Amino acid sequence: MKTIVITGASRRLGLYLAEQFIAKGDRVFAISRSQPNEFTSIDSPHFHPVQIDSYDKHGVEQAVSAISAKVERIDLLVNNASVFEQDPDNSQDIETKFIALFQVHMLFPNLLTHELKRYMFDEENPGVLVNMTDIYAENPMPERSLYCSTKAGLENLTRSFAKKFAPGIRCNSIMPGPLQFLPDHTQEQKEQVLKGTLLPFEAGFHPVFQTIDFIMSNHFVTGTSIKVDGGRSICRG
Ligand SMILES: NC(=O)C1=CN([C@@H]2O[C@H](COP(=O)(O)OP(=O)(O)OC[C@H]3O[C@@H](n4cnc5c(N)ncnc54)[C@H](OP(=O)(O)O)[C@@H]3O)[C@@H](O)[C@H]2O)C=CC1
Ligand SMILES: Nc1nc2c(c(=O)[nH]1)N=C([C@H](O)[C@@H](O)CO)CN2
């Protein structure tokens, strides 16, 4: 049984990963700001919801307090929480929005990783860190510059972590493409995205689970990023 910590676990990819690892027989600490109904249907003594107030320093303290009381070893930390928002129309709102995105995409993952690394660091059996970034970290959408730049920051942090923590922790990122649209995506937006994707379909979340499984099983992979994007990153203009 492995011990897995996932942030942003209340819905979509985070929830999917939690369910998959529980189904595999692993122990999961699901960090989220809310306790969705779906959590009650995960009927396992190895499922541990960890509720936090927000993705900031206080939230890290809440998560670490709950997790450290129950673990001696963490095999995988997935920094998954994310805010997918357009840039504000009003430049006066940039500071507030930028700080919020920085907190979720960079500060929280950084602080949480540093607080939990003592449970992951083992030169004989390195723990694994996976940061969820985005293909748009490399080739940004100008209308989402705050989102893209903070995801790019998480990309860079991942490489720093790989250098800092080797050989005791292996640190990598996953850059997804269109996994699953959000409810507020219009049909036109969806068609636009898939038209610019070599494999033009919503992949769903399983390809990310498969990629994490690969990263965990391959002991010579660290400091890199794996695109799971249907070829969108070489196709989008
Ligand atoms: N879905 C896709 O097609 C793609 C996804 N990705 C990346 O993959 C990861 C998972 O994607 P997906 O499941 O769609 O992510 P979501 O947009 O569904 O958000 C995931 C989690 O992030 C937290 N979150 C969302 N909005 C906010 C907010 N405004 N303030 C604070 N926390 C928030 C929530 O955590 P909580 O549970 O605590 O509420 C939520 O469960 C993300 O890092 C995303 O950037 C990248 C490219 C494509
Ligand atoms: N936190 C999120 N980040 C991203 C999402 C999402 O739903 N939540 N979705 C994308 C996809 O690119 C989607 O918009 C289809 O293009 C990017 N990041």
Side-chain angles (χ1 to χ4, degrees), residues 12 82 84 134 136 147 178 181-182 185 193:
R12 294 161 60 86
S82 169
F84 187 52
D134 195 316
Y136 296 142
Y147 166 85
F181 294 111
L182 283 161
H185 274 106
V193 168

Side-chain angles (χ1 to χ4, degrees), residues 167-185:
I169 304 174
R170 295 192 290 111
C171 307
N172 298 283
S173 63
I174 293 174
M175 286 180 159
L179 301 176
Q180 194 159 76
F181 294 111
L182 283 161
D184 54 3
H185 274 106

Side-chain angles (χ1 to χ4, degrees), residues 13-193:
L13 179 62
L15 178 62
Y16 182 82
L17 293 176
E19 291 166 341
Q20 292 298 305
F21 281 114
I22 288 289
K24 264 185 70 187
D26 293 324
R27 184 163 65 145
V28 173
F29 289 85
I31 297 174
S32 66
R33 298 166 303 164
S34 61
Q35 303 281 318
N37 294 335
E38 289 83 353
F39 279 7
T40 55
S41 56
I42 301 178
D43 181 19
S44 167
H46 304 306
F47 179 64
H48 304 273
V50 176
Q51 186 155 355
I52 62 173
D53 295 333
S54 50
Y55 287 100
D56 54 18
K57 189 171 188 300
H58 172 59
V60 170
E61 290 162 357
Q62 289 179 296
V64 172
S65 169
I67 292 167
S68 56
K70 295 181 179 177
V71 302
E72 289 175 6
R73 156 79 177 183
I74 294 172
D75 296 285
L76 170 67
L77 168 60
V78 183
N79 283 308
N80 168 71
S82 169
V83 185
F84 187 52
E85 284 183 351
Q86 298 258 2
D87 291 349
D89 296 328
N90 185 333
S91 60
Q92 288 175 329
D93 297 332
I94 287 175
E95 181 185 8
T96 308
K97 279 288 172 199
F98 218 166
I99 290 168
L101 283 157
F102 166 76
Q103 281 195 321
V104 179
H105 292 159
M106 293 185 72
L107 181 63
F108 190 87
N110 193 332
L111 295 179
L112 184 66
T113 303
H114 278 289
E115 288 300 318
L116 295 183
K117 71 176 184 296
R118 64 180 179 276
Y119 301 107
M120 300 172 73
F121 194 96
D122 181 334
E123 296 193 12
E124 300 306 315
N125 179 25
V128 175
L129 169 70
V130 173
N131 288 331
M132 294 304 305
T133 60
D134 195 316
I135 55 172
Y136 296 142
E138 283 183 338
N139 180 5
M141 296 175 285
E143 69 278 11
R144 294 180 191 263
S145 66
L146 307 187
Y147 166 85
C148 295
S149 56
T150 51
K151 282 289 190 176
L154 184 56
E155 267 296 315
N156 194 274
L157 269 181
T158 307
R159 284 161 176 67
S160 290
F161 287 154
K163 293 181 175 183
K164 279 176 184 282
F165 304 143
I169 304 174
R170 295 192 290 111
C171 307
N172 298 283
S173 63
I174 293 174
M175 286 180 159
L179 301 176
Q180 194 159 76
F181 294 111
L182 283 161
D184 54 3
H185 274 106
T186 66
Q187 190 54 34
E188 185 188 356
Q189 287 170 329
K190 291 178 185 179
E191 287 167 5
Q192 184 67 23
V193 168

